Every structure is written in C-alpha cells, then in structure tokens.
Amino acid sequence: QVQLVESGGGLVQAGGSLRLSCAASGRTFSNYAMAWFRQAPGKERQFVAGISWTADKTFYADSVKGRFTISRDNAKNTVYLQMNNLKPEDTAVYVCAARSLRQAGKDPSIPMNYEYWGQGTQVTVSS
C-alpha cells in the first residue's frame, strides 16, 4: 500500500501562484510514477501533469503547459506541482496519484492506470 497526502491548496487571486505537495509513504517512492489530477464540481477527473519514476519524463495537459511544473524529490518521498499564472478555470480539487512499474508503458493521463490516490486539496482561484 502507498499512502498519499496532499497539501498546499488554498485561495489565490487570478495570476497568482501556489505550490502543491504530495507526501508518499508505505513503499519505495522511486518505484512509482506520479501524477496530479483535478476535479471541479460536476466535471470528470482531469489529468494535469505526470512525472516518470526517475523524473526523466514529464507530461502536461495542454491547458496547463507553460504555467504548471511537476517535479519530485525521491529523497523526501514527495512530488510537487508548481502552479503559476493561475486562472479561475484552474479551480478544482487537486489529487495526487501513484502507479507502479506494473503500469509501465501505459498512458500516464488515464486515471485507471493509477493504483493509489490521495484525498485531494482544494485550489480556488478568484477573478
């Protein structure tokens, strides 16, 4: 089992920045590729960004490219999402997810390819 705990959400004005963190425990962190998804009320869960096991590859949704950056610190068992130039449409619950090496080669943007999920942290961007 892998436990994931997100933090760093909050209320910010449009154009502002937030940094989300996701702390993992329970298994060897470097054996898991990580991702951030988000879900707004009444909408489906949406892929935001992903990072490979060794951090040599990153993936982003078109809507956040150039504004968000995903990174990981395997020594701290933590993955981060730096969000800059936030927009009201970024308002959602942001959820951290992990997938093991068994999922290697599968599309990193599809929720069903992730085995573990956090509870999420709310991000609200005011206009």
Side-chain angles (χ1 to χ4, degrees):
Q1 289 286 343
V2 175
Q3 292 78 43
L4 303 172
V5 179
E6 303 93 338
S7 62
L11 173 64
V12 63
Q13 287 188 331
S17 298
L18 282 174
R19 188 195 195 201
L20 305 184
S21 299
C22 173
S25 62
R27 293 287 179 90
T28 303
F29 182 65
S30 58
N31 288 344
Y32 291 85
M34 304 297 295
W36 289 94
F37 289 79
R38 66 187 181 187
Q39 189 161 16
K43 294 188 177 181
E44 292 187 353
R45 185 163 289 185
Q46 178 188 34
F47 171 77
V48 176
I51 189 166
S52 63
W53 293 265
T54 56
D56 61 331
K57 296 179 182 178
T58 56
F59 311 90
Y60 295 94
D62 287 343
S63 58
V64 306
K65 280 181 182 176
R67 300 189 297 123
F68 291 10
T69 302
I70 189 171
S71 61
R72 66 188 295 162
D73 185 338
N74 286 349
K76 295 183 178 180
N77 292 352
T78 302
V79 62
Y80 305 97
L81 185 67
Q82 178 66 43
M83 306 186 295
N84 298 329
N85 191 21
L86 282 160
K87 303 176 181 180
E89 51 264 42
D90 294 319
T91 295
V93 174
Y94 284 71
V95 185
C96 176
R99 61 189 182 122
S100 69
L101 290 168
R102 290 193 299 268
Q103 309 300 328
K106 296 184 180 180
D107 189 333
S109 68
I110 298 177
M112 68 177 297
N113 290 334
Y114 290 83
E115 297 147 292
Y116 302 101
W117 295 85
Q119 293 299 308
T121 185
Q122 176 70 46
V123 172
T124 303
V125 184
S126 63
S127 56

